Amino acid sequence: VAEAAEAVCAEETTSPEILSLLLNALYALCYLHKEPRLVKAAFQFRLMALAGFEPLASGCAVCGREEPEAPMLDVVHGVVHCGGCKRLGGLSMPLTAAGLAALRLQRAAAAVGAVVPGWSAIEELGGVDTVQADADELFTPDSALLEDIRIFKGGRIDRAILYSASVLSQCCNTLSGLFRQIIEDRTDILYPVKDLEVHRGLGFSAWCDNNRVLIGSRAYMEKEDVPLPDEEYEAKHSKNGELQILYLAVSGSLHAMFVLRYVGGRNAARGLEQLQKENIQLLVSCQDPSLTARQITDAYHLPEGMVVLLDQEQCAALDAATAQNTGSEGCCILCTKGFASLTGGLRAAEQAQNAETTATPVQLVSVWFSVVIGVLLTYAGSIGTLSVAAVLMYQAAWSALSIAVCALKQHN
């Protein structure tokens, strides 16, 4: 892969996209232990695309037809054309409906940082019913909004913010951005954090400024025997669960209560819309103790039951299962941009399957039409002896089929 990158790049010129592609390929080989043949194929395809050699497969390069008739790939000029169109002087090879769909798929998948290696992978992706993502991929550091802070007896608002910012900046991406914004990114004023412990789904504990600091949910505070206000008080400030509550305890005493709201991101919303369309369930691993499945569902307006929040034991079991299979056997998609790549790759695979499903009947019908015309010419002797009605019926049938395919695509 290094030699290929060297051959494509000119000396003393910057190529950040190719550098990123090269580093991702090396990471996949060295740390993800992906199959070298698979990584090489994916790398070469993307490298050629970035270098300007990606085949143009959006339609026939000669007549402009969106769905080329008997499609051919000109490997010299890098274009697709109809089998009956005048060739461009290059070397053309026939494409099946699946081949053309797969070629178009790679362009759509590459745009979101995904590679789907072959048609078998496309078919396998069509059977996916569950995907797993981390909450950090659904909510950026700017997604959390602070609605209110309630300080309890003996607490101070400045210390509450500093304690929370010090701990959360070390372990919780979904909340670190909020508190860093509050302190205006003055990380020099944060306390040193020692003995940090993460209790997934519950909260965090650490030592700051010679005090044991606990940050987490109501369940975590109850587990640590921290006195809490009654549930009616919490329900009042959370608007009966619409907002999220995060507690802060210092040296065993309740110090503050943060009232939070999460706003969904546009890119994640597009990916979740694709999962909803395909009826795919989402498993979410999350270190943020204030997030629940209901709040993720509400933030993105998803149907109830689509999102399942994994607890600590389930996350540990998932990590153990994935650690046992770090190879690429059975790998059907490579993602370089996390959740956006995954959902974008799924969307591209779905489009490829739909295109193949539509194009295959067209090709079959064209074969039967060719057989019929061949039989007619066999008995008629030449096309000149065919009746005008027969020729018009043939043309009308093809026109109707082309219009029907275009209308079906627009409807979908």
Side-chain angles (χ1 to χ4, degrees):
V1 294
E3 291 177 352
E6 182 184 15
V8 168
C9 296
E11 292 186 6
E12 298 182 359
T13 59
T14 59
S15 302
E17 291 184 333
I18 293 180
L19 175 61
S20 176
L21 176 66
L22 176 62
L23 294 177
N24 284 328
L26 295 176
Y27 183 84
L29 290 170
C30 298
Y31 297 99
L32 301 182
H33 306 293
K34 298 295 184 182
E35 183 182 350
R37 180 173 56 87
L38 178 63
V39 175
K40 177 187 174 184
F43 173 81
Q44 289 177 336
F45 185 90
R46 284 294 298 134
L47 180 65
M48 291 297 99
L50 293 174
F53 296 99
E54 182 177 4
L56 298 178
S58 57
C60 176
V62 179
C63 68
R65 179 180 293 183
E66 186 176 349
E67 294 296 336
E69 179 183 345
M72 306 280 288
L73 174 63
D74 188 329
V75 295
V76 175
H77 296 92
V79 296
V80 172
H81 62 85
C82 298
C85 290
K86 183 178 179 180
R87 296 190 178 182
L88 304 175
L91 174 63
S92 295
M93 305 176 64
L95 277 175
T96 63
L100 178 60
L103 190 61
R104 291 172 170 175
L105 156 76
Q106 297 303 340
R107 182 181 181 88
V112 294
V115 176
V116 182
W119 191 257
S120 60
I122 295 174
E123 294 177 334
E124 187 173 349
L125 288 174
V128 170
D129 60 3
T130 305
V131 299
Q132 185 268 332
D134 193 84
D136 294 347
E137 299 177 293
L138 303 180
F139 297 98
T140 66
D142 298 328
S143 297
L145 305 176
L146 182 62
E147 296 285 329
D148 192 12
I149 303 177
R150 310 303 298 180
I151 302 298
F152 296 100
K153 185 177 180 180
R156 288 172 46 183
I157 190 170
D158 56 341
R159 287 185 175 273
I161 292 173
L162 284 177
Y163 281 135
S164 301
S166 300
V167 175
L168 296 176
S169 63
Q170 301 283 332
C171 57
C172 187
N173 290 335
T174 54
L175 290 174
S176 62
L178 169 63
F179 285 93
R180 286 173 67 98
Q181 183 180 5
I182 294 174
I183 64 173
E184 298 180 343
D185 274 330
R186 293 183 57 194
T187 55
D188 58 298
I189 65 175
L190 297 180
Y191 296 117
V193 176
K194 298 179 181 178
D195 300 328
L196 175 64
E197 295 181 5
V198 177
H199 304 276
R200 192 182 293 268
L202 292 174
F204 314 97
S205 65
W207 285 89
C208 294
D209 192 32
N210 295 322
N211 291 301
R212 186 168 185 258
V213 175
L214 304 177
I215 301 176
S217 63
R218 184 180 189 90
Y220 184 50
M221 296 297 154
E222 290 175 344
K223 180 181 177 181
E224 296 291 335
D225 296 325
V226 176
L228 295 172
D230 57 44
E231 294 185 1
E232 291 184 2
Y233 179 87
E234 181 177 311
K236 174 184 175 182
H237 289 87
S238 68
K239 298 182 179 179
N240 295 319
E242 290 184 15
L243 304 177
Q244 292 80 57
I245 299 297
L246 188 70
Y247 287 106
L248 168 68
V250 180
S251 299
S253 300
L254 190 61
H255 199 91
M257 181 180 77
F258 300 96
V259 183
L260 309 171
R261 180 192 299 274
Y262 281 90
V263 179
R266 183 178 301 176
N267 292 333
R270 283 196 292 263
L272 291 170
E273 183 180 358
Q274 175 67 20
L275 298 185
Q276 182 181 352
K277 179 182 176 183
E278 294 296 312
N279 197 27
I280 296 176
Q281 190 176 48
L282 177 64
L283 306 181
V284 180
S285 56
C286 178
Q287 291 188 351
D288 186 345
S290 65
L291 269 178
T292 64
R294 174 192 169 184
Q295 285 141 5
I296 297 174
T297 299
D298 291 344
Y300 286 102
H301 309 289
L302 301 174
E304 186 177 353
M306 176 179 166
V307 177
V308 175
L309 198 64
L310 302 177
D311 58 28
Q312 188 162 354
E313 292 182 359
Q314 291 170 328
C315 288
L318 181 63
D319 292 340
T322 53
Q324 294 175 359
N325 184 22
T326 57
S328 57
E329 293 185 3
C331 174
C332 55
I333 186 170
L334 295 177
C335 305
T336 61
K337 298 180 181 178
F339 185 70
S341 293
L342 173 61
T343 55
L346 290 173
R347 181 166 57 251
E350 179 202 10
Q351 293 171 348
Q353 280 192 314
N354 292 340
E356 191 270 344
T357 303
T358 304
T360 298
V362 175
Q363 288 189 342
L364 291 175
V365 170
S366 68
V367 171
W368 281 107
F369 270 142
S370 300
V371 172
V372 171
I373 292 299
V375 172
L376 289 176
L377 290 177
T378 300
Y379 287 98
S382 70
I383 193 170
T385 59
L386 293 176
S387 65
V388 176
V391 176
L392 290 177
M393 288 177 61
Y394 173 77
Q395 186 63 35
W398 264 115
S399 300
L401 183 62
S402 300
I403 293 173
V405 171
C406 293
L408 182 61
K409 288 186 66 178
Q410 292 177 355
H411 175 72
N412 290 337

